[in-house]
Amino acid sequence: TERKMLKISRKAQYVVPFLAPGRMLECSIDGEQYGWGVLVSHKRKAGIGSAGSAGKLAKQSSDPDHTVDVLLPCVDRHFDDAKPGDGTKEEDKSNVGLLWRGTSHHCRPMKVGVDDEKLVTHRIFTIGLNDILELSAVKLFLPSDIHPEPARNNVAKSVKEVKRRFPEGVPFLDPVKDMSIKSEDFKKLSNRTDTLKERLASHSISTELDQKEKEEMVLAYGKKLDLLEHSKVIRNEARSCQGMVMRDELKKMKRVLRQLGHVDANGVIQTKGRTACEINTANELVIVELMFCGVFNELSVEQCMALLSCMTFDERTKDDDDPTTGLKSYLSNPFFKLQECTRTVAKAIIACKIELDEEEFVGKINPGLMEAVFAWCKGAKFVDVQKLTGTFEGTTIRTLRRLEELVRQLASAAKAIGNHELQSKFERGSELMKRDIVFCSSLYL
């Protein structure tokens, strides 16, 4: 609420009439409270309100329309990292008063009772109207030349005397009575502020705790805010580190796609990449290698379906036995070609520095349902097909459904690259598979 009030009350139409040299101002620069200072001069940005190119340049500039020079107490940040016995810093300490221009980058607010008085200097800062927290009703005499150190010290003594005469606080200009702010929004915010102040005054913290306990609570809350800010910084650092790891992994994956021919050196998707985009039911890299090696061209529809079942069946029945034991040559030979394609993909992945166990990757291809799928596509009954498997009926049905989905995706991929022969082969395979109890919408019908 107070920030909204400050935004309204610091409009140029209300503040500029009171910007006379010598007026005391309370200032905050970049979130740091510098306390009370003295106004030295006020400047208006050139070109404001004028027509033509000068007015356009003034509007485009990011500088504030009005700036004020204020004499403020500060400490040079140069001394914050001073070490005992540092001769250079001692020399700088003796000459610090020669500097009259101050910036928030090089100077910080003085800390009462903490900073050495020899380090505290009074310098002229250039700030905007939004950096002014309060305007005082008090105006001080300013010498004609404020730059020399004695002149600035005399003004500082005058500020100290004003604070001594007003122990309850330097008097402010009233926003409504003195500055004539008649905005309805400001009145509503002012009433809300008064209500909140009354509630704070009646709170148990204000009535039941003494000053020492209040200060301890404020310090504890300040520490909490510092810890929250520190945790925020750490989280951002962790997020950036995670992003770096992800970027490295992404670069390696792009390298794999480039090596396998899915994209070219410029990252443009090639025919293999376009084909892989259509597949998501099984490992698209291995499937695409099968297609482009011409394995499917040499096989019948039933053999293609049996071979693809190795990519959708992921349940091991006998870990110790050779998975190809008992397979007929018309099924084992295509399976060996599938293993070769899988090894090609695995070697490409390993060559691009992605961690992968080649044997484990190849071992995921399971020919356990090849005979069953071949028989199913030949028109065998589900009861007879189930006798060829060592799995439960539900596993067989789930595998066949996934296989049919994969075949449909392969038909779309073949169509996308213009291979009508493969497209018709996969569409025929989908028709052979999609029948009987396996694809009933409900087993209770």
Side-chain angles (χ1 to χ4, degrees):
T1 303
E2 289 184 346
R3 281 198 295 268
K4 292 179 180 178
M5 290 177 64
L6 188 66
K7 188 175 181 180
I8 296 173
S9 62
R10 291 302 166 263
K11 290 184 178 179
Q13 64 192 78
Y14 302 127
V15 178
V16 170
F18 297 92
L19 295 181
R23 185 175 298 282
M24 289 183 64
L25 305 175
E26 188 177 12
C27 303
S28 170
I29 306 174
D30 295 337
E32 295 182 308
Q33 304 282 344
Y34 280 78
W36 287 101
V38 180
L39 176 63
V40 177
S41 63
H42 159 245
K43 294 178 183 177
R44 186 185 183 193
K45 186 166 66 176
I48 296 178
S50 60
S53 59
K56 290 181 180 179
L57 288 173
K59 290 178 181 179
Q60 292 174 359
S61 175
S62 59
D63 297 331
D65 295 342
H66 297 267
T67 58
V68 291
D69 290 340
V70 186
L71 185 68
L72 292 169
C74 63
V75 174
D76 199 310
R77 297 185 191 272
H78 176 61
F79 297 108
D80 287 345
D81 57 349
K83 298 178 181 178
D86 193 336
T88 305
K89 297 290 174 69
E90 291 297 325
E91 183 180 351
D92 292 342
K93 190 184 296 185
S94 60
N95 298 325
V96 71
L98 300 176
L99 302 173
W100 61 270
R101 172 62 71 181
T103 62
S104 59
H105 180 69
H106 296 101
C107 303
R108 63 167 175 80
M110 60 169 285
K111 298 176 182 178
V112 181
V114 177
D115 291 322
D116 186 352
E117 291 185 3
K118 294 180 181 179
L119 300 178
V120 179
T121 59
H122 291 77
R123 302 187 188 183
I124 299 174
F125 290 75
T126 300
I127 62 175
L129 299 183
N130 291 329
D131 295 324
I132 301 174
L133 297 179
E134 295 291 350
L135 286 85
S136 173
V138 178
K139 286 174 62 179
L140 302 177
F141 169 76
L142 281 184
S144 56
D145 186 5
I146 196 67
H147 297 152
E149 183 183 3
R152 286 181 279 127
N153 289 339
N154 288 335
V155 175
K157 290 178 182 178
S158 300
V159 173
K160 192 174 182 180
E161 178 63 20
V162 170
K163 291 180 180 178
R164 188 189 66 80
R165 292 188 182 185
F166 297 98
E168 296 182 357
V170 179
F172 305 146
L173 287 176
D174 187 88
V176 178
K177 295 179 182 178
D178 299 325
M179 301 176 69
S180 302
I181 300 177
K182 298 178 181 179
S183 169
E184 290 297 325
D185 293 335
F186 186 84
K187 290 180 181 179
K188 291 179 182 178
L189 292 171
S190 180
N191 294 333
R192 185 180 177 188
T193 303
D194 294 338
T195 304
L196 292 173
K197 285 181 178 179
E198 290 177 1
R199 290 174 63 182
L200 285 173
S202 60
H203 196 273
S204 58
I205 294 178
S206 301
T207 56
E208 298 176 5
L209 302 180
D210 56 21
Q211 188 63 27
K212 185 178 180 181
E213 290 175 322
K214 291 178 186 177
E215 290 175 356
E216 290 176 353
M217 291 183 70
V218 170
L219 288 173
Y221 185 69
K223 290 180 180 178
K224 178 184 176 181
L225 292 178
D226 291 340
L227 290 172
L228 288 173
E229 186 66 26
H230 185 57
S231 66
K232 184 178 179 181
V233 171
I234 292 174
R235 278 197 298 270
N236 290 337
E237 289 179 356
R239 200 174 290 117
S240 63
C241 291
Q242 185 179 7
M244 289 175 63
V245 173
M246 294 294 288
R247 280 194 294 273
D248 291 340
E249 289 295 320
L250 183 60
K251 288 179 181 177
K252 293 176 183 178
M253 292 176 183
K254 285 183 177 179
R255 212 174 295 136
V256 172
L257 295 177
R258 209 160 31 238
Q259 186 163 331
L260 292 175
H262 290 254
V263 296
D264 62 10
N266 298 320
V268 179
I269 297 178
Q270 302 300 298
T271 306
K272 290 178 86 171
R274 182 69 186 87
T275 308
C277 290
E278 300 290 334
I279 304 166
N280 56 34
T281 305
N283 190 310
E284 58 271 19
L285 297 180
V286 177
I287 297 291
V288 170
E289 283 299 312
L290 276 176
M291 288 183 67
F292 281 79
C293 286
V295 175
F296 293 121
N297 297 334
E298 303 169 358
L299 303 178
S300 65
V301 176
E302 292 82 1
Q303 285 176 306
C304 290
M305 300 303 105
L307 182 61
L308 288 172
S309 70
C310 301
M311 306 299 296
T312 59
F313 181 53
D314 51 10
E315 183 174 321
R316 286 289 177 187
T317 53
K318 296 180 181 179
D319 295 331
D320 298 332
D321 294 344
D322 182 2
T324 58
T325 303
L327 282 181
K328 304 291 190 298
S329 60
Y330 58 82
L331 294 179
S332 60
N333 290 337
F335 176 73
F336 293 142
K337 292 180 180 179
L338 172 58
Q339 283 186 322
E340 290 176 11
C341 292
T342 307
R343 288 190 188 278
T344 302
V345 173
K347 288 175 181 177
I349 294 173
I350 294 170
C352 294
K353 304 297 173 59
I354 296 178
E355 292 185 7
L356 181 73
D357 188 334
E358 182 179 338
E359 294 303 323
E360 183 182 350
F361 185 72
V362 175
K364 289 181 179 178
I365 300 171
N366 191 351
L369 282 186
M370 287 188 74
E371 281 193 79
V373 172
F374 187 83
W376 178 258
C377 292
K378 283 290 187 180
K381 293 182 179 180
F382 183 76
V383 176
D384 299 329
V385 168
Q386 188 60 31
K387 293 176 182 178
L388 299 174
T389 70
T391 63
F392 293 106
E393 290 82 353
T395 303
T396 306
I397 291 174
R398 184 169 60 252
T399 302
L400 290 173
R401 282 176 175 268
R402 281 186 62 196
L403 177 57
E404 194 275 333
E405 183 182 358
L406 174 61
V407 172
R408 277 191 285 110
Q409 292 175 359
L410 285 170
S412 299
K415 182 180 179 181
I417 62 175
N419 192 331
H420 300 294
E421 184 181 346
L422 270 184
Q423 179 188 352
S424 59
K425 183 176 285 190
F426 289 132
E427 287 177 349
R428 175 60 181 159
S430 178
E431 292 173 3
L432 291 176
M433 291 188 59
K434 204 168 183 179
R435 64 180 180 83
D436 208 1
I437 193 172
V438 174
F439 289 90
C440 284
S441 57
S442 174
L443 296 180
Y444 294 99
L445 295 178

